[in-house]
Amino acid sequence: MKAVIQRVSQASVTINEKIVASINSGLLVLLGVVDDDAQEDITWLSNKIVNMRIFPDVEGVMNNSIIDNHGDVILVSQFTLHANTKKGNRPSYIKAAKPDVAIPLYQDFIKRIESDLGKPIQTGEFGADMQVTLINDGPVTIIIDTKNKD
């Protein structure tokens, strides 16, 4: 699994001109799934995201997590995170999991992050054409790949 985590002061997801998710302070998480991802990837990545200290404390030092800040999360599936750009100019998405594998893992990830966070999150729609808007706060953008956790 690969995730791009962005600390935001505002974010939303629109599908067919309808806003389906909207938050103020929190995290926008873009999530890409590959075929060999498993429950241990979900557990590790969710724990990492909700406990990552990327929010400022009272002294302005990045010392607080999304849990500490009681922030919200929008999770958006994004297979293009696994693009291979080594050859030519057209990215290859062969490493990205097909929907029959990716959808159950995405849904399990939603449940896990809600459990770890202690409240519901908002999401985009798997496979939909989405417009994602955000105000990146900081800016703070972190990329995590569960294949590089050692």
Side-chain angles (χ1 to χ4, degrees), residues 5-104:
I5 299 134
Q6 297 180 79
R7 188 179 78 188
V8 298
S9 57
Q10 185 177 357
S12 65
V13 177
T14 302
I15 301 172
N16 295 325
E17 299 181 22
K18 180 182 175 205
I19 296 174
V20 297
S22 179
I23 63 169
N24 288 316
S25 180
L27 297 175
L28 172 66
V29 179
L30 307 174
L31 181 72
V33 178
V34 293
D35 284 331
D36 64 349
D37 285 332
Q39 291 300 316
E40 46 276 7
D41 295 295
I42 290 169
T43 301
W44 183 86
L45 184 57
S46 177
N47 183 60
K48 185 64 91 172
I49 290 170
V50 301
N51 290 295
M52 188 169 298
R53 298 180 337 175
I54 58 174
F55 289 88
D57 62 16
V58 293
E59 296 179 11
V61 177
M62 285 199 291
N63 237 354
N64 289 343
S65 69
I66 187 79
I67 294 173
D68 299 326
N69 273 30
H70 307 288
D72 293 314
V73 173
I74 294 180
L75 178 69
V76 175
S77 64
Q78 189 169 356
F79 73 93
T80 61
L81 292 180
H82 291 289
N84 183 333
T85 59
K86 287 184 180 181
K87 290 179 13 184
N89 294 319
R90 183 186 307 260
S92 169
Y93 304 107
I94 196 128
K95 289 185 178 181
K98 303 293 184 263
D100 62 320
V101 171
I103 291 171

